[in-house]
Amino acid sequence: RSSWLLLAPLLTPPVPVITAPPCSLCPEGAHRFQWIRNLVPEFGISSSHVKVLSSPAEFYELLKVQIKAAKRRVVMASLYLGTGLLEQELVDCLEETLEKSLQAKGSPDLRVSILLDYTRGSRGRKNSRTMLIPLLQRFPEKVRVSLFHTPNLRGLLRLLIPERFNETIGLQHIKVYLFDDNVILSGANLSDLYFTNRQDRYVLLQDSPEIADFFTELVDAIGDVSLQLQRDDTVQMMEGMVHPYQGDKVAYCEIANRRVMEVINSARTRQELLHAKTFHSSHAGSSLLSQQGSQASGGLKPEPDTWIYPLIQMKPFGIQIDEMVTETLLTEAERDARVYLTTGYFNLTQAYMDLILGTRAEYRILLASPEVNGFFGAKGVAGAIPAAYVYIEHQFYSEVCYLQQQERVQLQEYSRAGWTFHAKGLWLYLAGSDLPCLTLIGSPNFGYRSVHRDLEAQVAIVTENKALQQQLHQEQEQLYLCSGVVSTSTFEQPNRYVKLWVKLVTPLIKNFF
């Protein structure tokens, strides 16, 4: 009970800032989404470089294979690293690869950079930090471990809120795993559940150096404003950097904003120059020049038919790109378009709910049934969180029914014995199309936390390629196959009973989970 009281200073949420959409969509097939490049870099790649994974085991095996094959860089950003045997095996793979790099003569110098959340990564006596310290001790010049600490957890609040509950204030929530020029984007953390029976989403972008460079620079930027783990398990800031909770908050956030926006803007400028060169070489008859260029780079690259747009959301630093793009996509989704939206934690922001209920597209929203919610069966107060999600879901469903939108907006619950559900993202099917031309994949859950509290990143993948569209369609179908449609009778089942105290508390604390 006292845990809730500790959250009292935070129960009045900040007023959300609703930003106007950058512009409307252009009617040119998949290219209708090119407006996104006004905000972020646009990376054109061949669809043959994109692979959609479907299972936790496949994700885990790929991580190990990629770590072992890495020659120049391993960059991993996650909420935390677990402490079990499977996680230890990942650390052992890193150690083995670093050792090989040391022994190899004349090979590139392998660097390992890991970004985690400070509060989540420090929980308990055995934690993410203790798992990684042996690497720091053995390879001090090659390994960097950065622990992001939200600037909003400071002063008396930081002293009073106990472990676990302090994570409600804000987290490093980005999940990106890259190895040389291969990038895995996911919502999955580095923990045994996510390697075995916790369903998520995973996309591998192969041989994509520009995208790998972008995410390396992004993780470096956040790492620079984070606490650096030392070999003796202490932490310290980089020299000359403002401290996230001891220093001036405004100054810290301004520096962080500047570092992250530098990465976004410089990559955007690079990609625009590259696009201009490609455009001129293909339209000015300079085939000889392009041939010489392709020979220098080791052969002809296939024409891009797929575009990757990184969408960053870091409201503590005043960066709201993902929110702007998501709102625009929801606003502009046309009549007869279909939007499949999935989240492990159904707690949409008011702005997203208003857009879903007020626009014309058909929506199929997939969420976790109580039994596959990650908090199901948890001890103490956390055990009531699935019931709070049921209450939020029931309220939204009641609103759908009140507006008589049940045909257009459909809720579906994921249910699978022995599994939990953590998949999040969006698939957009244009009117008249049986295949999606756009998907969003990454860390955000479309909830208040994702928009206002945590550091988030996802990518919009836009493709004209039918084979890749088919891969994305099959991924969506596979997730939705394990679900049942929500109806009025769903909330009459005994396991959907929500206690009065949960109903009373949920509106106060829904912005923290």
Side-chain angles (χ1 to χ4, degrees):
R1 284 194 298 272
S2 61
S3 300
W4 294 119
L5 295 175
L6 289 170
L7 290 177
L10 296 157
L11 293 183
T12 307
V15 178
V17 177
I18 302 301
T19 45
C23 67
S24 61
L25 308 182
C26 318
E28 300 175 33
H31 285 289
R32 64 173 53 213
F33 304 103
Q34 283 189 337
W35 55 267
I36 304 175
R37 73 178 184 204
N38 296 332
L39 299 167
V40 296
E42 174 189 71
F43 301 100
I45 63 171
S46 166
S47 55
S48 61
H49 292 189
V50 184
K51 186 184 179 192
V52 180
L53 312 181
S54 60
S55 73
E58 197 179 359
F59 169 59
Y60 180 61
E61 290 306 317
L62 181 62
L63 285 176
K64 289 193 293 183
V65 167
Q66 290 291 320
I67 289 171
K68 287 175 182 176
K71 297 286 188 288
R72 293 180 291 109
R73 60 183 169 191
V74 172
V75 179
M76 300 201 287
S78 187
L79 174 60
Y80 69 104
L81 171 71
T83 57
L85 294 175
L86 295 180
E87 298 91 328
Q88 186 58 55
E89 199 174 330
L90 279 186
V91 176
D92 292 344
C93 286
L94 284 169
E95 185 176 8
E96 184 185 318
T97 305
L98 284 159
E99 184 60 49
K100 269 197 298 190
S101 174
L102 272 184
Q103 291 171 357
K105 289 181 180 177
S107 70
D109 197 15
L110 177 71
R111 301 279 168 181
V112 174
S113 176
I114 299 172
L115 171 67
L116 305 172
D117 182 72
Y118 176 89
T119 52
R120 185 64 181 84
S122 303
R123 188 202 288 182
R125 191 168 290 177
K126 188 179 182 185
N127 52 40
S128 306
R129 292 162 66 163
T130 58
M131 291 288 287
L132 293 168
I133 281 170
L135 289 183
L136 280 171
Q137 291 173 337
R138 182 131 186 243
F139 308 98
E141 303 302 315
K142 290 178 172 286
V143 178
R144 179 193 196 191
V145 179
S146 306
L147 301 168
F148 174 79
H149 191 295
T150 177
N152 294 326
L153 181 63
R154 53 175 50 232
L156 198 58
L157 200 62
R158 189 173 188 276
L159 293 172
L160 291 177
I161 299 186
E163 201 173 76
R164 293 193 71 169
F165 288 93
N166 58 10
E167 296 165 29
T168 62
I169 310 306
L171 296 165
Q172 191 310 107
H173 201 245
I174 296 168
K175 293 91 191 272
V176 175
Y177 310 107
L178 75 87
F179 314 89
D180 293 342
D181 292 336
N182 300 327
V183 183
I184 302 171
L185 292 149
S186 180
N189 291 304
L190 295 173
S191 169
D192 54 5
L193 290 174
Y194 295 89
F195 304 149
T196 51
N197 62 346
R198 191 154 169 72
Q199 183 62 58
D200 216 298
R201 297 180 66 207
Y202 336 83
V203 168
L204 169 64
L205 307 176
Q206 295 170 294
D207 190 23
S208 302
E210 291 93 354
I211 301 171
D213 288 348
F214 172 83
F215 280 108
T216 298
E217 289 170 21
L218 180 69
V219 171
D220 279 348
I222 303 164
D224 287 350
V225 298
S226 299
L227 294 152
Q228 306 301 305
L229 183 64
Q230 305 298 305
R231 285 177 281 179
D232 59 357
D233 199 17
T234 59
V235 291
Q236 62 185 47
M237 291 300 289
M238 284 173 57
E239 198 174 336
M241 187 60 67
V242 177
H243 199 282
Y245 62 85
Q246 293 174 350
D248 181 82
K249 183 179 171 182
V250 172
Y252 173 80
C253 291
E254 282 177 355
I255 290 168
N257 173 288
R258 200 157 56 243
R259 283 289 286 111
V260 173
M261 290 309 299
E262 275 171 9
V263 171
I264 295 168
N265 291 329
S266 63
R268 197 168 144 246
T269 303
R270 283 199 305 270
Q271 292 308 113
E272 282 174 355
L273 287 170
L274 188 65
H275 180 77
K277 280 181 187 174
T278 307
F279 179 83
H280 289 306
S281 68
S282 59
H283 285 74
S286 50
S287 56
L288 182 64
L289 262 175
S290 61
Q291 275 176 12
Q292 288 169 345
S294 67
Q295 284 164 6
S297 62
L300 283 167
K301 277 195 170 183
E303 279 290 307
D305 57 9
T306 300
W307 295 269
I308 310 294
Y309 301 95
L311 309 178
I312 311 303
Q313 184 74 12
M314 300 179 182
K315 184 70 180 292
F317 305 155
I319 299 169
Q320 296 168 255
I321 296 167
D322 181 60
E323 179 187 6
M324 290 168 68
V325 172
T326 303
E327 285 185 8
T328 305
L329 290 172
L330 298 181
T331 301
E332 299 290 343
E334 63 212 350
R335 189 182 299 279
D336 297 327
R338 283 174 295 138
V339 177
Y340 288 79
L341 186 151
T342 176
T343 173
Y345 303 110
F346 183 72
N347 187 11
L348 300 177
T349 65
Q350 191 61 51
Y352 291 164
M353 281 195 286
D354 290 345
L355 287 168
I356 289 168
L357 294 172
T359 49
R360 299 161 296 177
E362 287 182 19
Y363 283 87
R364 300 291 178 264
I365 301 173
L366 182 63
L367 49 115
S369 66
E371 296 77 20
V372 299
N373 185 296
F375 290 97
F376 187 74
K379 293 175 183 176
V381 173
I385 289 177
Y389 282 117
V390 168
Y391 182 59
I392 293 166
E393 176 190 351
H394 194 180
Q395 284 186 310
F396 180 76
Y397 180 75
S398 299
E399 184 73 9
V400 170
C401 293
Y402 174 75
L403 296 170
Q404 297 183 320
Q405 299 286 308
Q406 300 97 305
E407 289 298 310
R408 191 180 65 81
V409 181
Q410 196 173 91
L411 294 180
Q412 295 177 229
E413 287 186 353
Y414 186 94
S415 185
R416 189 175 178 187
W419 284 63
T420 54
F421 183 69
H422 197 250
K424 66 278 301 261
L426 178 153
W427 298 258
L428 175 61
Y429 294 68
L430 297 178
S433 176
D434 293 329
L435 298 172
C437 64
L438 176 146
T439 191
L440 300 182
I441 179 168
S443 63
N445 277 297
F446 305 104
Y448 189 94
R449 285 200 61 129
S450 292
V451 171
H452 293 279
R453 296 194 181 282
D454 298 340
L455 305 192
E456 305 278 12
Q458 64 180 342
V459 294
I461 302 176
V462 177
T463 185
E464 294 178 335
N465 180 271
K466 294 295 180 200
L468 178 53
Q469 289 179 352
Q470 190 67 45
Q471 271 195 77
L472 295 169
H473 176 66
Q474 286 171 351
E475 178 200 31
Q476 176 270 114
E477 278 196 322
Q478 190 177 335
L479 290 171
Y480 279 71
L481 272 174
C482 298
S483 71
V485 176
V486 171
S487 65
T488 305
S489 62
T490 302
F491 301 100
E492 293 168 357
Q493 297 170 19
N495 66 339
R496 301 310 169 97
Y497 173 72
V498 181
K499 293 175 181 175
L500 178 61
W501 73 268
V502 175
K503 291 180 181 180
L504 293 172
V505 168
T506 297
L508 299 174
I509 54 97
K510 65 185 279 188
N511 296 335
F512 295 92
F513 60 82

